[in-house]
């Protein structure tokens, strides 16, 4: 059994349909932007156009002054100092039975002193089999921007050597900051 509210079911359905159609129209009009008109803005003819300036006035802004000064950092360096070393006058004295080689070390740093742990080898040249006739080792300190030159020497313990071929090689120049 149905309860009646005094309005017929058909009239209720018609009201519902009208309300739904009205809501749909308002929604479509709002979404499409037609429901409410936008106000028009009228720009006066005498309104000046914006101008741009490419100049910069340093006095207009406060000067920047740092509140700290950065601490200096020590420059990094390669501990292999062979690029700082040059050799010349590779020689052997028959009378002294002694190899000599003039070594010059230039410290490229203008701030730091370096100690160079040097090794000079007089190597067998023919055949070049990697064998050494002699070895000279020395540590030398070179000041900032300075060049130190010394003569590396090695005396052979044999009384007679005969004819042989040799080369001089700086095999180590380990660099340490002092």
């Amino acid at each position: 059994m149905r309860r009646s509210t005094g309005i017929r079911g058909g009239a209720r359905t018609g009201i519902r349909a009208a309300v739904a159609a009205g809501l749909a129209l308002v929604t479509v009009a709002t979404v499409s932007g037609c429901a409410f008109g936008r106000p028009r803005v009228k720009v006066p003819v005498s309104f000046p156009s914006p101008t741009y300036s490419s100049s910069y006035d340093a006095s207009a802004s406060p000067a920047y002054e740092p509140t700290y000064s950065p601490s200096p950092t020590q420059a990094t360096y390669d501990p292999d100092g062979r690029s700082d070393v040059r050799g010349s006058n590779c020689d052997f004295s028959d009378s002294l039975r002694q190899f000599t080689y003039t070594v010059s070390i230039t410290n490229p740093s203008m701030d730091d002193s370096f100690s160079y742990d040097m090794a000079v080898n007089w190597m067998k040249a023919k055949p070049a089999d990697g064998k050494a006739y002699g070895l000279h080792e020395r540590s030398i300190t070179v000041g900032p921007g300075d060049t130190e030159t010394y003569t590396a020497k090695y005396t052979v313990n044999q009384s007679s050597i005969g004819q042989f071929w040799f080369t001089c090689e700086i095999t180590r120049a380990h660099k340490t900051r002092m």
Side-chain angles (χ1 to χ4, degrees):
M1 216 172 74
R2 264 183 163 188
R3 188 181 272 185
S4 173
T5 58
I7 301 177
R8 291 187 176 193
R12 216 180 311 169
T13 304
I15 292 172
R16 281 190 208 149
V19 169
L23 286 175
L25 268 175
V26 169
T27 303
V28 168
T30 303
V31 168
S32 67
C34 297
F36 306 103
R38 293 184 181 167
R40 293 185 178 239
V41 177
K42 196 170 189 179
V43 178
V45 178
S46 63
F47 190 81
S49 61
T51 58
Y52 300 98
S53 173
S54 63
S55 65
Y56 173 74
D57 184 8
S59 64
S61 63
Y64 172 75
E65 293 182 23
T67 57
Y68 70 94
S69 59
S71 62
T73 58
Q74 291 182 333
T76 58
Y77 70 95
D78 184 1
D80 183 0
R82 285 182 289 180
S83 62
D84 302 347
V85 181
R86 300 289 177 257
S88 61
N89 304 323
C90 182
D91 198 11
F92 179 76
S93 168
D94 285 327
S95 61
L96 297 173
R97 297 185 332 269
Q98 189 175 66
F99 289 104
T100 57
Y101 193 44
T102 304
V103 178
S104 294
I105 307 165
T106 301
N107 180 355
S109 172
M110 293 299 150
D111 301 317
D112 297 313
S113 293
F114 288 97
S115 173
Y116 291 83
D117 182 24
M118 302 295 302
V120 175
N121 279 77
W122 289 270
M123 304 298 291
K124 192 173 180 183
K126 290 184 182 180
D129 58 7
K131 292 183 181 175
Y133 290 116
L135 170 67
H136 168 85
E137 295 179 302
R138 177 178 179 179
S139 289
I140 187 166
T141 300
V142 185
D146 289 343
T147 299
E148 296 289 335
T149 301
Y150 73 96
T151 301
K153 298 177 183 176
Y154 179 79
T155 303
V156 178
N157 292 330
Q158 295 174 332
S159 58
S160 176
I161 292 185
Q163 187 175 7
F164 64 98
W165 288 265
F166 63 97
T167 61
C168 299
E169 293 183 21
I170 298 168
T171 55
R172 183 180 69 239
H174 185 77
K175 184 176 176 180
T176 308
R177 183 180 279 122
M178 299 302 290

